[in-house]
Amino acid sequence: MFITFEGGEGAGKSTQAQLLEVHLRAAGHDVVRTREPGGTPGAEALRDFVLFGGHDLSLRAEVMVHFAARCDHVDRLIRPALARGKIVICDRFVDSTLAYQGYGLGQGDPQIVDLIQALGTRMGVVPDMTFVLSLPRARARARLAARGQRSDRYEAADEAFHTRVADGFDAIARAAPGRCLPISADRPADAVAHDIAARVDACLAARAATDPGPA
Ligand SMILES: Nc1ncnc2c1ncn2[C@@H]1O[C@H](COP(=O)(O)OP(=O)(O)O)[C@@H](O)[C@H]1O
Ligand SMILES: [Mg+2]
């Protein structure tokens, strides 16, 4: 099972990905938790390049860097882990490229959106469940200020950009209601985690009921 977390910076993706890992491990599952951009040594180097390198790439080029990192991550880590029956939890995936590069930077330019969607279909893996965390921007900003990490180039962008990204995530969730589960993140972390764990547990139970298991 492949589970992804999406949403704007500060919504609580990393917090919830970690809490879900703990929950699933406690139930005896084999879990790999990873993140994008990054997750493998090469993809982490590309993360540093694209988030902190200070380069001004054309938008298409920037999309390609994200997908180059993603290809390495999928080929070297995600697909092999899924093939070995592990549950993979990934903090951001293709939806983030669509929201940030397609809707945020690209402002919905159909050529960029098409490019991202086309590349997305060629990754060879599709999330089974995607939790799309939403949080009013002012609340996210307050959490980020308290977290106090260095901001990357997207966090430092203007508010209009963040509004387009949030609207993009809403549109993505509406377009794929079977896969995407919108989650209000404006609650204590354990309440959010409880909802997420219930959804994942229900999905695992449904799978166990239909899977005949080893003969
Ligand atoms: N539900 C929550 N309520 C309050 N603070 C939270 C909640 N979830 C996460 N945080 C805190 O907010 C900050 C951002 O959370 P984080 O998980 O890093 O977000 P993201 O990965 O989406 O950027 C962190 O300092 C985290 O401890
Ligand atoms: Mg995070």
Side-chain angles (χ1 to χ4, degrees):
M1 179 142 85
F2 182 30
I3 301 167
T4 57
F5 283 87
E6 297 284 3
E9 200 60 33
K13 298 176 300 297
S14 303
T15 301
Q16 293 302 325
Q18 201 209 329
L19 291 171
L20 181 61
E21 178 190 13
V22 169
H23 171 78
L24 291 172
R25 281 191 193 282
H29 295 287
D30 209 349
V31 181
V32 173
R33 180 166 56 91
T34 183
R35 70 168 182 183
E36 289 209 340
T40 58
E44 289 287 334
L46 289 170
R47 175 192 183 93
D48 231 42
F49 173 88
V50 76
L51 293 185
F52 303 105
H55 308 289
D56 183 25
L57 295 177
S58 81
L59 183 50
R60 262 177 4 133
E62 181 173 323
V63 166
M64 294 301 183
V65 175
H66 279 281
F67 273 99
R70 181 163 299 131
C71 285
D72 196 64
H73 190 208
V74 168
D75 295 345
R76 297 243 162 95
L77 191 144
I78 296 176
R79 219 167 23 199
L82 292 172
R84 290 200 302 275
K86 294 174 193 284
I87 297 177
V88 176
I89 300 172
C90 191
D91 185 342
R92 295 194 182 281
F93 197 60
V94 173
D95 297 321
S96 278
T97 312
L98 199 50
Y100 281 73
Q101 279 70 40
Y103 293 109
L105 294 175
Q107 307 198 22
D109 173 355
Q111 290 201 21
I112 291 291
V113 168
D114 284 354
L115 174 66
I116 295 166
Q117 286 175 331
L119 291 169
T121 64
R122 289 168 183 242
M123 290 303 100
V125 289
V126 178
D128 297 290
M129 310 179 86
T130 297
F131 293 101
V132 183
L133 272 48
S134 61
L135 184 69
R137 177 68 188 153
R139 309 269 293 135
R141 267 212 315 269
R143 286 187 190 177
L144 288 171
R147 186 176 74 181
Q149 282 173 6
R150 64 177 175 164
S151 12
D152 63 44
R153 54 171 300 220
Y154 305 125
E155 273 171 68
D158 63 24
E159 286 308 306
F161 169 84
H162 290 286
T163 301
R164 290 195 300 275
V165 169
D167 291 347
F169 277 123
D170 285 347
I172 290 164
R174 278 197 307 275
R179 171 175 67 85
C180 292
L181 300 154
I183 298 279
S184 165
D186 201 1
R187 297 175 287 160
D190 58 348
V192 178
H194 184 272
D195 274 12
I196 290 170
R199 301 280 201 154
V200 172
D201 288 348
C203 182
L204 286 167
R207 286 189 167 205
T210 55
D211 181 357

